[in-house]
Amino acid sequence: MFRFASLPPLSLYIHLPWCMRKCPYCDFNSHAAAMPVPEAEYIEALLRDLEQDLPRVRGRTVQTVFLGGGTPSLFSPGSVDKLLTGVRERVVLAPGAEITLEANPGTVELARFRGYAAAGVNRLSIGVQSFDPEKLAALGRIHGRDEALAATQAARQAGFDNFNLDLMFGLPQQTVAQAIADIDTAMAQQPAHISLYQLTIEPNTLFHAQPPALPDEETIWTMQQELQARMARSGYRQYEVSAYAAGARECQHNLNYWRFGDYLGIGAGAHAKITDATAIARLRKPAHPREYLSGAGTPAGVAEEQPLTQHNAAAEFMLNALRLRDGFAPALFEERTGLPIDVIDAALAEARKKSLLRVERERIQPTETGYRYLDDLITLFL
Ligand SMILES: C[S@@+](CC[C@H](N)C(=O)[O-])C[C@H]1O[C@@H](n2cnc3c(N)ncnc32)[C@H](O)[C@@H]1O
Ligand code: SF4
């Protein structure tokens, strides 16, 4: 039996599943769109979907909203406005709630960004990936260096001082110097936040079937060290495995995931996690856009639901919270899992013995070694 002293903060994730074309490394639920995208129809479906979820979160305030994809910036500002208005009519948003929209260079211009701002979006996440024309071509991106630079400039001109740049490293045939040039160009745009991911080859992608020549492990390790050192020197603090913030500009929406908060998920294949008085449930909406469009708001659109066992709740909390550089307070574990911290005593002791974890009264935090070998550390709790 779980015992919750209080319910976790609640976020809202909205999935917009279409892209201009499918990138060869991408395993997200994203689909090359036959243009134009059925914007109006999809937004109606999203709002029916939200409506159907409301009884699960009655009386709770939504702290953050994230429009992710896919390529949300394929949707016009008018559609985003309609969507956010519909969201506000159905749930209470916290004052000043962070509202992020993912935007891809090559699909945006100043007027579009201004429109998103007017609709209430107050944070942009721009999927730059690289500023190197050759690497962008190798990644199958629709944009080049100029479009990437133009997108960051337009973000600023439209008044978004809070914007993130997504970058990847370990790209096909990338050298350390090329990776450094990318991070330096990114930082020169003075984003509030950088998400830096190592390119991974995922099953069910074109890169899996036809693998490109990637740098060797040692080069990738050097790259990572160099990039992190440069970001630290410029004031980008790593607060999560892939996330770096200037000052206090952490992504509040993602922080809520890592702190094992609750979130609603609407849209094709969107995931959710919802805590009630006695249980934690994971939910998932129908994944295919066509199936989603016809089912949303009807019995066919109801999420697949899976209750978490106590063991899984504890494991999932650790899987998320250990990604945070500062770790977490034991009280947060108890609050979010509804379980006493004793349930992970044996694993904590083991991790401490291996010098992977610092365990103090007020804080549990990966050591340098623990953070470097995070998978080994997390495995102890699974
Ligand atoms: C939800 S995705 C897509 C956002 C947006 N559609 C775009 O492509 O710019 C968020 C980020 O995950 C990263 N990503 C996607 N596939 C990846 C992979 N195979 N390896 C590493 N990072 C990946 C990219 O940096 C991407 O911007
Ligand atoms: S644009 Fe983004 S979401 Fe779409 S296919 Fe490419 S990486 Fe995936």
XYZ file of all heavy atoms in Angstrom, residues 17-22 31-39 71 73-75 106-107 112 142:
180
model
N 2.774 14.968 -33.594
C 3.597 13.865 -34.112
C 4.174 14.026 -35.522
O 4.787 13.082 -36.005
C 2.611 12.693 -34.098
C 1.284 13.333 -34.371
C 1.336 14.698 -33.735
N 3.967 15.176 -36.179
C 4.404 15.230 -37.581
C 5.702 15.991 -37.783
O 6.025 16.913 -37.032
C 3.311 15.860 -38.446
C 2.120 14.960 -38.577
C 2.046 13.811 -39.320
C 0.848 15.107 -37.935
N 0.796 13.243 -39.173
C 0.040 14.019 -38.331
C 0.315 16.048 -37.064
C -1.261 13.855 -37.896
C -0.991 15.890 -36.626
C -1.762 14.806 -37.041
N 6.437 15.592 -38.827
C 7.681 16.260 -39.229
C 7.681 16.406 -40.744
O 6.926 15.720 -41.433
C 8.898 15.432 -38.815
S 9.008 15.248 -37.023
N 8.541 17.293 -41.247
C 8.664 17.440 -42.708
C 9.134 16.119 -43.315
O 8.653 15.677 -44.332
C 9.679 18.526 -43.056
C 9.339 19.882 -42.495
S 8.239 20.783 -43.566
C 9.416 21.377 -44.756
N 10.156 15.538 -42.674
C 10.549 14.175 -43.043
C 11.181 13.502 -41.843
O 11.507 14.168 -40.858
C 11.472 14.177 -44.257
C 12.794 14.859 -44.061
C 13.670 14.627 -45.306
N 14.993 15.141 -45.091
C 15.550 16.109 -45.822
N 14.901 16.665 -46.819
N 16.783 16.505 -45.568
N 11.327 12.198 -41.936
C 11.820 11.435 -40.784
C 13.352 11.416 -40.807
O 13.969 11.013 -41.805
C 11.274 10.000 -40.877
C 11.631 9.116 -39.713
C 10.743 9.335 -38.505
C 11.177 8.476 -37.329
N 10.425 8.769 -36.106
N 6.230 11.268 -37.566
C 5.870 10.736 -38.879
C 6.017 11.814 -39.938
O 5.585 12.956 -39.721
C 4.411 10.255 -38.856
C 4.156 9.248 -37.774
N 4.162 7.889 -37.995
C 3.939 9.403 -36.444
C 3.947 7.259 -36.854
N 3.805 8.152 -35.898
N 6.610 11.447 -41.072
C 6.690 12.384 -42.187
C 5.265 12.741 -42.585
O 4.434 11.856 -42.797
C 7.426 11.742 -43.346
N 4.990 14.039 -42.647
C 3.603 14.475 -42.862
C 3.315 14.627 -44.336
O 4.148 15.109 -45.097
C 3.382 15.798 -42.160
N 2.096 14.214 -44.711
C 1.591 14.636 -46.003
C 1.057 16.039 -45.728
O 0.165 16.217 -44.921
C 0.469 13.719 -46.442
N 1.679 17.043 -46.355
C 1.284 18.431 -46.058
C -0.048 18.755 -46.739
O -0.294 18.251 -47.819
C 2.372 19.399 -46.529
C 3.680 19.228 -45.800
S 3.511 19.637 -44.039
C 4.948 18.844 -43.375
N -0.879 19.617 -46.221
C -0.685 20.215 -44.904
C -1.105 19.262 -43.788
O -1.903 18.351 -44.001
C -1.621 21.430 -44.969
C -2.734 20.985 -45.884
C -2.113 20.067 -46.888
N -0.544 19.509 -42.609
C -0.888 18.728 -41.419
C -2.345 19.040 -41.037
O -2.756 20.197 -41.131
C 0.080 19.151 -40.280
C -0.377 18.651 -38.944
C 1.492 18.696 -40.586
N -3.131 18.047 -40.623
C -4.532 18.328 -40.226
C -4.594 19.035 -38.870
O -5.015 18.455 -37.869
C -5.159 16.936 -40.158
C -4.020 16.010 -39.911
C -2.793 16.621 -40.518
N -4.168 20.295 -38.857
C -4.003 21.032 -37.587
C -5.303 21.140 -36.795
O -5.356 20.805 -35.610
C -3.472 22.451 -37.859
C -2.081 22.470 -38.411
C -1.496 23.879 -38.509
O -1.911 24.769 -37.750
O -0.611 24.078 -39.363
N 7.452 17.773 -34.757
C 7.843 19.158 -35.015
C 6.653 20.078 -34.721
O 5.898 20.421 -35.642
C 8.325 19.326 -36.480
O 9.388 18.401 -36.716
C 8.821 20.738 -36.747
N 6.530 23.120 -34.349
C 6.552 24.392 -35.088
C 5.987 24.254 -36.501
O 5.922 25.233 -37.235
C 7.969 24.972 -35.127
O 8.882 24.010 -35.588
N 5.539 23.050 -36.888
C 4.774 22.933 -38.133
C 3.376 23.512 -37.939
O 2.703 23.869 -38.893
C 4.640 21.458 -38.554
C 5.853 20.783 -39.190
C 5.503 19.336 -39.540
C 6.317 21.536 -40.420
N 2.928 23.572 -36.671
C 1.592 24.104 -36.392
C 1.647 25.635 -36.393
O 2.584 26.227 -35.858
C 1.069 23.602 -35.030
C 0.509 22.203 -35.088
C 1.304 21.136 -35.460
C -0.818 21.953 -34.777
C 0.800 19.846 -35.532
C -1.346 20.667 -34.846
C -0.535 19.611 -35.228
N 14.228 25.842 -40.101
C 13.721 25.444 -41.416
C 12.199 25.434 -41.442
O 11.594 25.323 -42.500
N 11.565 25.549 -40.249
C 10.091 25.587 -40.220
C 9.623 26.869 -39.538
O 8.441 27.013 -39.257
C 9.505 24.388 -39.436
O 9.912 24.501 -38.061
C 9.954 23.065 -39.982
N 6.329 33.788 -37.012
C 5.817 32.580 -36.370
C 6.168 32.591 -34.872
O 5.330 32.325 -34.016
C 6.447 31.373 -37.072
C 5.709 30.079 -36.875
C 6.126 29.071 -37.923
N 5.130 29.022 -38.974
C 4.266 28.009 -39.148
N 4.304 26.946 -38.382
N 3.381 28.043 -40.101
N 16.554 18.980 -42.357
C 16.034 19.818 -43.451
C 16.691 21.189 -43.438
O 16.478 21.982 -44.329
C 14.493 20.003 -43.372
C 14.104 20.703 -42.053
C 13.770 18.665 -43.515
C 12.720 21.330 -42.102
